[in-house]
């Protein structure tokens, strides 16, 4: 088949009546989800474990094909013909970041031949994700340092920041952060978010978070419960109008 490459993303992503059932299951994990994400906005997806938010992330990334419904990018339907084009626009930072036993350069420019790496772009992405100082000043060979098996020489927070730099290196139009800052303190997390938005105002950020305070920066938060979109609105709106959301925040506050 011929790949239909002409996808533009300047207006919005619309998820229309999305249903998804895992193979060998009778119960859909996503039930009739309708979401609209404006281009260049920061939105959040929240909910308890098992609410369907990670499945929704996989649908956004094009890793799962929905059983029903459609995904429209600026009004154009995403199908097997153009899914790769859509995926090329996305930078994704998963919960668990895989580091290869290579240099920091190779890990940030993941998947590129060493000779093709744009080192300036690596440095710029590392500055945004607040890891440049550490690499330049504390690693024995700077960006040429081999990180060790699965990043064994780095802390969880450092690995996460390399993961964020990797996603930014390719200058994505959409950045999906799935629990991507869980090992960072809130101050560093805030700084990184500010830097990303300063660096590129034409970027759409989708945050999936258990740590709900991360979502304060979102213009809209979609709150999932048992596979359904239960509520949506700003952080303040959900605090007032969504009891589950409120109690999840309180639970986090109490643990402090």
């Amino acid at each position: 088949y011929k790949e239909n490459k002409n996808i533009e993303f300047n207006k919005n992503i619309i998820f229309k009546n999305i249903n998804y059932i895992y193979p060998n299951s009778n119960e859909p994990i996503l039930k009739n989800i309708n979401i609209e994400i404006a281009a260049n906005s920061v939105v959040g997806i929240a909910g308890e474990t098992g609410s369907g938010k990670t499945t929704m992330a996989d649908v956004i990334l094009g890793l799962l094909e929905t059983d029903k419904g459609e995904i429209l990018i600026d009004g154009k339907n995403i199908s097997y013909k153009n899914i790769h084009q859509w995926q090329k626009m996305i930078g994704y930072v998963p919960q668990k970041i895989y580091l290869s036993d290579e240099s920091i350069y190779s890990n940030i420019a993941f998947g590129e031949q060493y000779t093709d790496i744009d080192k300036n772009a690596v440095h710029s992405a590392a500055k945004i994700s607040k890891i440049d100082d550490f690499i330049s000043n504390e690693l024995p060979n700077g960006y040429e340092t081999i990180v060790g098996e699965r990043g064994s020489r780095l802390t969880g927070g450092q690995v996460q920041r390399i993961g964020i730099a990797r996603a930014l290196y390719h200058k994505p139009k959409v950045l999906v952060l799935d629990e991507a800052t869980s090992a960072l303190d809130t101050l560093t997390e805030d700084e990184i978010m500010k830097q990303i938005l300063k660096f590129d105002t034409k970027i759409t950020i989708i945050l999936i978070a258990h740590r709900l305070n991360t979502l304060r920066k979102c213009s809209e938060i979609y709150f999932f419960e048992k596979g359904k979109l239960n509520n949506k609105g700003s952080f303040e709106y959900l605090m007032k109008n969504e009891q589950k959301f409120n109690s999840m925040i309180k639970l986090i506050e109490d643990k402090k």
Side-chain angles (χ1 to χ4, degrees):
Y1 64 87
K2 212 161 106 199
E3 196 166 316
N4 176 1
K5 288 203 167 137
N6 52 348
I7 296 182
E8 290 287 321
F9 175 44
N10 302 305
K11 296 181 199 136
N12 57 18
I13 312 167
I14 293 173
F15 299 92
K16 210 169 166 184
N17 305 326
I18 296 291
N19 269 39
Y20 184 77
I21 303 177
Y22 277 108
N24 310 324
S25 165
N26 304 323
E27 185 65 17
I29 182 82
L30 293 177
K31 303 165 192 164
N32 209 32
I33 305 291
N34 288 283
I35 287 178
E36 180 175 342
I37 298 172
N40 315 330
S41 64
V42 181
V43 302
I45 294 177
E48 294 174 314
T49 306
S51 60
K53 61 184 188 301
T54 301
T55 309
M56 189 65 206
D58 288 342
V59 167
I60 293 168
L61 295 166
L63 301 175
L64 293 178
E65 202 178 322
T66 59
D67 295 298
K68 204 184 102 190
E70 48 187 359
I71 302 168
L72 303 162
I73 313 293
D74 284 9
K76 188 163 280 189
N77 201 351
I78 293 291
S79 70
Y80 71 90
K81 290 182 179 171
N82 55 18
I83 189 76
H84 293 306
Q85 187 60 17
W86 168 238
Q87 286 169 332
K88 279 180 195 157
M89 293 184 187
I90 301 173
Y92 172 50
V93 188
Q95 293 179 28
K96 287 194 170 63
I97 290 146
Y98 170 78
L99 293 185
S100 58
D101 197 11
E102 293 176 278
S103 69
I104 299 278
Y105 274 130
S106 295
N107 270 289
I108 291 178
F110 199 62
E112 288 204 354
Q113 291 291 331
Y114 186 81
T115 47
D116 296 337
I117 292 173
D118 177 345
K119 291 184 176 176
N120 288 336
V122 168
H123 295 168
S124 147
K127 281 187 178 115
I128 295 163
S129 69
K130 297 280 167 202
I131 190 79
D132 172 68
D133 277 355
F134 168 77
I135 297 167
S136 305
N137 303 323
E138 295 187 43
L139 289 180
N141 301 313
Y143 282 86
E144 299 289 1
T145 306
I146 305 295
V147 295
E149 192 64 31
R150 300 237 166 100
S152 54
R153 295 187 186 148
L154 305 170
T155 66
Q158 287 157 355
V159 171
Q160 282 193 331
R161 282 180 275 178
I162 285 173
I164 294 166
R166 177 189 287 173
L168 292 171
Y169 172 77
H170 294 287
K171 299 189 173 55
K173 284 201 151 198
V174 180
L175 183 63
V176 178
L177 302 172
D178 186 359
E179 296 296 333
T181 52
S182 57
L184 304 176
D185 60 83
T186 38
L187 201 67
T188 308
E189 180 183 77
D190 281 350
E191 270 303 300
I192 291 172
M193 286 300 290
K194 274 190 202 129
Q195 290 297 326
I196 291 171
L197 293 167
K198 221 192 282 178
F199 160 74
D200 193 351
T201 47
K202 287 192 161 48
I203 192 166
T204 306
I205 301 175
I206 302 170
L207 295 170
I208 296 140
H210 288 303
R211 190 163 80 182
L212 296 182
N213 282 325
T214 305
L215 302 175
R216 283 182 191 275
K217 310 157 195 71
C218 298
S219 53
E220 187 97 300
I221 299 164
Y222 297 96
F223 189 73
F224 279 65
E225 198 178 346
K226 293 182 179 149
K228 287 185 176 155
L229 179 58
N230 212 35
N231 214 330
K232 63 175 184 174
S234 67
F235 191 90
E236 287 70 26
Y237 171 85
L238 289 176
M239 282 288 284
K240 284 197 192 100
N241 299 288
E242 180 54 61
Q243 202 186 340
K244 273 266 173 74
F245 187 83
N246 201 336
S247 55
M248 281 169 77
I249 293 276
K250 287 215 161 51
L251 201 70
I252 294 158
E253 301 288 308
D254 292 346
K255 279 183 186 166
K256 284 181 180 172

